[in-house]
Amino acid sequence: MKIGAFIPELLRHLFKKPATVDYPFQKLEVPRDFRGSPYLRPELCIVCRACERDCPAEAIEITATNEAEKRFRMVIHNDRCIHCAQCVDSCPTDAMQMDTRFEISDYDRHNLKMEWEYVRAVVKPKSEPKTS
Amino acid sequence: MATVKTLIYLIVYPGLLFLFLYSTFVEWYDRKLYARLQNRMGPTHTGRFGLLQPIADFFKLMAKEDIVPDRADRKMFSVLPAVGLAIVFTAMLLLPVWNYSLDRPSVTSFNGDLIVLLYLLSLPTFIFFLAGWSSTNLFSTIGGARVLTMLFGYEVPLFLAVLSPAVLANSWRLAEIAAFYRQRPALALVNLLGFVIALICVQAKLERTPFDIPHAETEIVGGTFTEYSGKKLAIFRLMMDAEMVVAAGLLATVFLGGFPGGALLGLVNFIVKTLVVVFFLSLIRATTSRIRVDQVVSFAWKYLAPLAILQLLIVILVKGLIS
Amino acid sequence: MKFQIPIGPQHPALKEPISLRMTVEGEIIRDADLRLGYNHRGLEKLAEQKTWIQNIYLTERICGICSHSHTTCYVQGVEKLMEIEPPKRGQYIRYLVSELERVHSHLLWLGVAGHEAGFDSFFMYTWRDREIVMDILETISGNRVHYGINTIGGVRRDLDEQQVKHILDSLAILRERSEYYQHLGTNEPSFVARLAGVGYLSREDAIALCAVGPTVRASGVPMDVRKDDPYGIYGEVPFEVCTADTCDVLGRTVVRIKELFQCYNIIEYLLKNLPSGPVAVRAPRRAKPNEVVSRYEAPRGENIHYIKSNGTDKPERLKVRAPTLGNYAATIKMLKNGFIADVPLIFAAIDPCICCAERAVALVDARSGQERIISMNALKKLSRQVSAGNARKREAEWPL
């Protein structure tokens, strides 16, 4: 037992820079592999629907807009997304990617929706999806 | 001329206006210091260095909805904050800050004002108790009971510790006590033990950690203030800040030689000395964890009271020695 | 005179809704009652509608603090069901994250204990240093809270040399800081006065009431799944089970601080002996009909998942027994004859995670003991009936 055991530590920090960051004015950098929001590179998508099937939040929706032309529409509902990046793991062609944005809040959940309309790509999968 | 001076004394300095601004400043100082001791920033954005944050908080609370609980004693509940604030602001006028003369007792500086000031500082405690009691909330009631239980612990050591310098100075008048220690600074060292005891007791009186038991948020929510909101809470908070200024001023007068030098130099003296006292109060707040109410009482009677009596004994011996 | 004070469902000491009703005499608690059911999320039912892969992320969200514990526990079970063995490197990384999570959870708890005791400086400092381990976890997994590093058959991300070095460097700082907190936590008089002798739980009671984790270890019972029933790589990692015999909140604090040092040793061992090779193997989408019980030592105590498969790509049943549930019975025992002032500390000392422990609501008729299912509207009507019948309470009375 020691009276005032904390005092030296406290006084030492009195003239030090605070450990906290003045957030909205100063921002910390996120690490390189930070899991932000998913996005699609339509030129690589072969519409295997692995991402749609594995997404735990059912945030990915792929619909065919024109069956004959092989045109597809992909919607990522970022309002439902839980940023787990399972879609990136499931994707056989690297078409799904994560960015590193983290300030993604919005007043309206519909603004968070992201949409791509594209022709199905013809790319050879570099490997089978991890969980076939 | 004398009337104008008295009016200024009451309303501008050190009365209403100064005390309001200065207590918000002291709250800012306390918060900033507490934050920096914890390696945080504290208020930064309202005004320069966040200086206006306490004032912003005050006006924000003023604008908030004011709810009086159904079953509370309505009159008592509403009138208590105003009464408490009035008491604390009155206590401020008794401090020998500017408008007093050493040879001539006046309305605000007379023989025995030390005792009056101490009792005026005791009253807010009862106001807190009554506030908790009249809210009829369970948490408030427990808070109120804790306020009184704590009072039994720290009040006697505080009185003993503050009175012993007065015994040495052979006066019950704050201005004279301060003048006595200004003339013989070495004698102020005799009261060092008393100063430490008084600091701890003032910390308990202001209900700050480790004695924030009556409104320990993790135990009894808001304690005495659980049901208070809006204007009434704002006034209570202002009252506690002002109480801190007055209590710091009292300690600075009795132990640190008061505030000589008329209006301007006296002001500087007042600010520097109270900030020194508040620094120690903040340091205690940052260093300790909250203790239990039974521990407060046993600590006060096992350690503080005997030490305060020891201080009194030392003072009496020293007094015999120098006379 | 006796009266009841409600702590919760909404209370500053509780981070999640639970109701503790204390019958107190003055400041002393004579009886305590615990009511659950404010935070039921229907998670187990939801798990039956999701695939094995999707359920990893669902179980991760059972808890925010021990998210990795729940996924690891689930993934271990599923791997047994699918009869696959993750590669060594994958296992090392998985349990490395486990131990890092334990570090962050214990540092968090230390801060919370400080806050509950009104020691806010301690809280600020421990949480500041917890950021170090949070940053490590973020660089490893890409997220601070829900790491999402587990997958069936291994882990999803590999470690590189730079990360290993970063972790080892940060570990040195953490070790030094933990030593300081150990010194502080056992030396600051006002803090120790609040912790020592509070929430006494004897060795016999701890065993009889099935307490788990640091709570039971602080009562002198060396119970740790990692030692008693080694899973994963714990059979080959040297470490000790930390115990204390003071049986109070101080003991629980000491156990957690000691465990921090054990965690640092384990992390160091894992990083120094990191085998090379792949981090994951491919897992099938379906599991044969079978059932499995998976045990895991979460920072708060033993975590149990029971998984039943029926040959499809979805589990037939997932049952979660979170450590907090095991500690509730002991909490009531600890609360009795304590002070009101100690309630937050005693309750916080089991490191409660209420949403972890909230599993299902059963309405049981108190007279006949019959269980029944009731619709939401009928429930609302019932509650209105009950509250309408209550007389208004009298004015408060003098409590002393």
Side-chain angles (χ1 to χ4, degrees):
Chain A
M1 292 278 218
K2 222 172 85 190
I3 291 173
F6 213 174
I7 289 182
E9 179 84 357
L10 292 175
L11 290 180
R12 207 159 58 79
H13 282 94
L14 189 55
F15 301 105
K16 272 196 177 174
K17 220 173 142 267
T20 44
V21 175
D22 204 0
Y23 166 62
F25 307 101
Q26 280 170 34
K27 284 167 194 168
L28 286 176
E29 291 227 339
V30 291
R32 190 164 39 88
D33 298 332
F34 182 78
R35 301 201 307 264
S37 309
Y39 64 90
L40 178 74
R41 290 163 65 194
E43 69 276 13
L44 288 175
C45 182
I46 55 170
V47 199
C48 66
R49 291 175 193 262
C51 49
E52 194 183 19
R53 188 188 55 196
D54 280 346
C55 179
E58 290 159 26
I60 300 176
E61 198 185 316
I62 301 176
T63 44
T65 49
N66 190 333
E67 211 53 82
E69 283 175 38
K70 297 208 167 85
R71 286 190 78 80
F72 291 87
R73 188 158 148 264
M74 178 167 182
V75 183
I76 298 182
H77 297 271
N78 267 321
D79 50 335
R80 284 187 223 151
C81 178
I82 58 171
H83 310 281
C84 65
Q86 178 61 43
C87 45
V88 180
D89 282 12
S90 298
C91 185
T93 60
D94 285 341
M96 289 301 296
Q97 294 288 330
M98 287 307 246
D99 60 18
T100 54
R101 290 182 306 134
F102 59 96
E103 290 162 310
I104 47 173
S105 62
D106 204 301
Y107 287 110
D108 184 4
R109 62 186 304 166
H110 299 294
N111 293 347
L112 290 166
K113 210 152 66 173
M114 288 209 284
E115 243 185 89
W116 289 269
E117 202 169 332
Y118 56 96
V119 181
R120 193 175 80 183
V122 187
V123 188
K124 196 168 174 285
K126 70 175 180 231
S127 68
E128 282 293 297
K130 255 186 204 153
T131 48
S132 55
Chain B
M1 195 58 213
T3 329
V4 174
K5 204 177 172 190
T6 310
L7 272 179
I8 292 174
Y9 186 74
L10 283 176
I11 293 164
V12 183
Y13 171 72
L16 280 171
L17 198 65
F18 171 73
L19 189 55
F20 173 71
L21 288 176
Y22 188 56
S23 44
T24 55
F25 171 75
V26 166
E27 189 195 330
W28 171 85
Y29 171 75
D30 176 48
R31 276 167 72 172
K32 196 84 179 168
L33 198 63
Y34 188 54
R36 294 313 299 268
L37 286 170
Q38 294 177 341
N39 211 354
R40 290 187 290 127
M41 283 182 178
T44 32
H45 287 295
T46 321
R48 193 133 185 92
F49 308 118
L51 265 169
L52 296 179
Q53 189 64 51
I55 296 179
D57 286 353
F58 180 77
F59 284 111
K60 183 202 75 182
L61 271 178
M62 281 303 222
K64 291 273 175 189
E65 192 187 358
D66 197 347
I67 301 164
V68 180
D70 230 11
R71 257 175 278 140
D73 183 346
R74 205 181 176 84
K75 266 185 214 148
M76 192 79 141
F77 188 82
S78 313
V79 86
L80 280 172
V83 174
L85 194 69
I87 289 169
V88 174
F89 276 64
T90 314
M92 179 67 190
L93 296 178
L94 292 183
L95 285 179
V97 181
W98 168 49
N99 190 10
Y100 70 96
S101 127
L102 260 181
D103 338 297
R104 199 162 46 83
S106 65
V107 189
T108 59
S109 179
F110 48 87
N111 209 0
D113 57 359
L114 174 62
I115 309 291
V116 177
L117 184 53
L118 277 174
Y119 274 101
L120 282 179
L121 279 180
S122 286
L123 276 175
T125 316
F126 284 97
I127 297 281
F128 290 152
F129 162 69
L130 288 173
W133 194 250
S134 58
S135 322
T136 63
N137 180 310
L138 264 177
F139 295 118
S140 311
T141 313
I142 294 172
R146 285 180 174 191
V147 169
L148 279 197
T149 319
M150 250 173 51
L151 185 73
F152 291 123
Y154 65 76
E155 197 75 347
V156 172
L158 176 66
F159 275 38
L160 284 175
V162 173
L163 292 188
S164 45
V167 170
L168 188 56
N170 211 1
S171 165
W172 295 115
R173 196 176 152 199
L174 284 165
E176 280 174 16
I177 298 169
F180 176 82
Y181 287 106
R182 276 204 299 281
Q183 278 159 19
R184 303 178 191 78
L187 280 182
L189 290 176
V190 176
N191 301 318
L192 202 62
L193 181 64
F195 183 53
V196 174
I197 295 166
L199 265 181
I200 296 172
C201 293
V202 161
Q203 186 84 346
K205 184 170 269 312
L206 298 173
E207 295 176 4
R208 290 145 60 83
T209 338
F211 305 105
D212 57 343
I213 304 157
H215 50 86
E217 61 149 17
T218 51
E219 294 158 21
I220 48 170
V221 194
T224 32
F225 305 128
T226 310
E227 292 292 352
Y228 276 91
S229 56
K231 294 182 197 69
K232 299 190 184 81
L233 185 63
I235 291 177
F236 260 136
R237 285 177 50 120
L238 180 66
M239 168 188 164
M240 288 178 88
D241 292 338
E243 202 188 343
M244 181 150 74
V245 174
V246 177
L250 172 67
L251 293 196
T253 315
V254 175
F255 293 100
L256 304 177
F259 327 105
L264 205 64
L265 207 60
L267 176 69
V268 175
N269 254 319
F270 181 73
I271 288 175
V272 170
K273 283 180 179 170
T274 46
L275 288 189
V276 167
V277 174
V278 173
F279 173 79
F280 284 120
L281 294 179
S282 295
L283 194 63
I284 297 178
R285 179 168 161 221
T287 334
T288 49
S289 100
R290 185 191 311 125
I291 54 181
R292 270 199 313 267
V293 72
D294 59 312
Q295 287 169 338
V296 175
V297 177
S298 69
F299 169 70
W301 286 104
K302 266 186 200 156
Y303 302 103
L304 287 185
L307 284 176
I309 291 170
L310 179 70
Q311 166 69 33
L312 202 60
L313 192 69
I314 294 172
V315 161
I316 290 169
L317 288 178
V318 171
K319 198 175 175 188
L321 218 64
I322 55 169
S323 62
Chain C
M1 98 154 233
K2 278 188 184 177
F3 62 109
Q4 259 206 344
I5 52 166
I7 299 228
Q10 312 296 333
H11 190 276
L14 305 167
K15 275 80 200 167
E16 291 166 274
I18 188 172
S19 174
L20 294 161
R21 295 192 180 201
M22 244 58 81
T23 310
V24 294
E25 263 182 42
E27 287 262 333
I28 296 170
I29 301 159
R30 289 294 174 219
D31 198 8
D33 184 16
L34 206 95
R35 292 185 185 192
L36 309 174
Y38 297 95
N39 205 2
H40 177 59
R41 295 177 294 171
L43 231 141
E44 290 173 359
K45 193 74 194 160
L46 184 59
E48 290 164 20
Q49 290 147 27
K50 293 199 177 277
T51 61
W52 295 112
I53 288 267
Q54 288 173 336
N55 272 332
I56 300 173
Y57 305 103
L58 184 67
T59 49
E60 187 159 51
R61 276 150 185 84
I62 290 175
C63 179
I65 307 298
C66 45
S67 59
H68 188 74
S69 309
H70 283 286
T71 50
T72 313
C73 196
Y74 166 79
V75 161
Q76 278 175 13
V78 177
E79 277 161 5
K80 257 186 236 168
L81 282 177
M82 293 180 173
E83 292 158 356
I84 50 173
E85 173 83 7
K88 257 296 176 288
R89 190 179 173 89
Q91 286 204 12
Y92 266 63
I93 294 174
R94 181 183 288 173
Y95 296 108
L96 172 78
V97 175
S98 285
E99 293 306 316
L100 285 169
E101 185 191 69
R102 200 182 308 277
V103 171
H104 116 72
S105 175
H106 282 353
L107 280 175
L108 175 132
W109 183 85
L110 273 180
V112 169
H115 175 68
E116 304 285 8
F119 198 2
D120 276 349
S121 305
F122 190 64
F123 164 62
M124 296 292 173
Y125 278 84
T126 44
W127 278 46
R128 183 196 70 188
D129 297 325
R130 175 174 163 261
E131 280 307 303
I132 299 172
V133 68
M134 297 295 273
D135 284 346
I136 298 178
L137 284 165
E138 195 183 12
T139 48
I140 294 178
S141 69
N143 215 328
R144 280 163 55 91
V145 177
H146 291 304
Y147 322 120
I149 192 119
N150 276 326
T151 189
I152 297 167
V155 291
R156 294 166 59 195
R157 292 192 180 195
D158 201 356
L159 280 177
D160 58 24
E161 279 305 311
Q162 213 184 339
Q163 281 170 329
V164 171
K165 199 176 163 297
H166 168 65
I167 298 172
L168 284 173
D169 289 348
S170 309
L171 221 55
I173 307 171
L174 277 173
R175 207 185 276 270
E176 186 195 325
R177 294 302 304 174
S178 307
E179 264 159 30
Y180 180 72
Y181 296 131
Q182 185 174 26
H183 163 77
L184 192 66
T186 50
N187 274 303
E188 167 58 39
S190 58
F191 194 43
V192 174
R194 277 308 294 281
L195 302 183
V198 167
Y200 185 81
L201 182 72
S202 67
R203 194 190 152 92
E204 292 72 35
D205 282 338
I207 295 170
L209 296 169
C210 300
V212 291
T215 314
V216 74
R217 289 200 282 276
S219 295
V221 187
M223 200 171 86
D224 191 323
V225 188
R226 292 178 292 172
K227 212 61 166 183
D228 303 339
D229 180 14
Y231 52 86
I233 45 116
Y234 284 107
E236 54 194 82
V237 178
F239 73 100
E240 283 165 30
V241 178
C242 310
T243 56
D245 44 17
T246 49
C247 308
D248 55 3
V249 178
L250 184 64
R252 280 155 224 157
T253 314
V254 170
V255 164
R256 285 190 169 98
I257 296 180
K258 277 189 192 166
E259 271 181 22
L260 280 177
F261 293 112
Q262 292 301 323
C263 286
Y264 301 144
N265 290 344
I266 298 175
I267 292 168
E268 224 164 62
Y269 178 89
L270 291 177
L271 285 175
K272 296 222 164 110
N273 297 295
L274 198 63
S276 51
V279 292
V281 292
R282 271 177 55 180
R285 282 200 77 84
R286 293 174 213 290
K288 278 182 231 141
N290 205 344
E291 57 183 355
V292 69
V293 170
S294 171
R295 299 171 79 192
Y296 177 90
E297 182 72 23
R300 297 178 162 118
E302 185 182 349
N303 188 7
I304 302 171
H305 281 209
Y306 164 79
I307 310 159
K308 191 175 177 191
S309 59
N310 55 3
T312 61
D313 60 349
K314 291 178 179 128
E316 186 174 306
R317 177 84 173 98
L318 170 70
K319 163 84 190 120
V320 180
R321 204 294 313 255
T324 308
L325 198 66
N327 277 331
Y328 277 153
T331 314
I332 305 247
K333 179 84 191 168
M334 289 187 262
L335 284 173
K336 271 179 200 170
N337 297 323
F339 289 91
I340 305 177
D342 294 332
V343 172
L345 263 174
I346 296 173
F347 192 61
I350 66 165
D351 201 356
C353 177
I354 288 135
C355 65
C356 278
E358 298 264 315
R359 286 285 73 91
V361 182
L363 292 168
V364 185
D365 196 312
R367 264 157 285 168
S368 62
Q370 230 172 17
E371 285 187 23
R372 62 192 162 125
I373 294 166
I374 197 164
S375 76
M376 192 66 201
N377 282 337
L379 198 65
K380 275 184 196 155
K381 215 167 142 191
L382 198 71
S383 74
R384 268 188 224 116
Q385 267 172 12
V386 171
S387 61
N390 278 358
R392 270 175 72 168
K393 280 185 195 151
R394 288 174 299 134
E395 301 280 302
E397 282 172 59
W398 183 245
L400 296 175

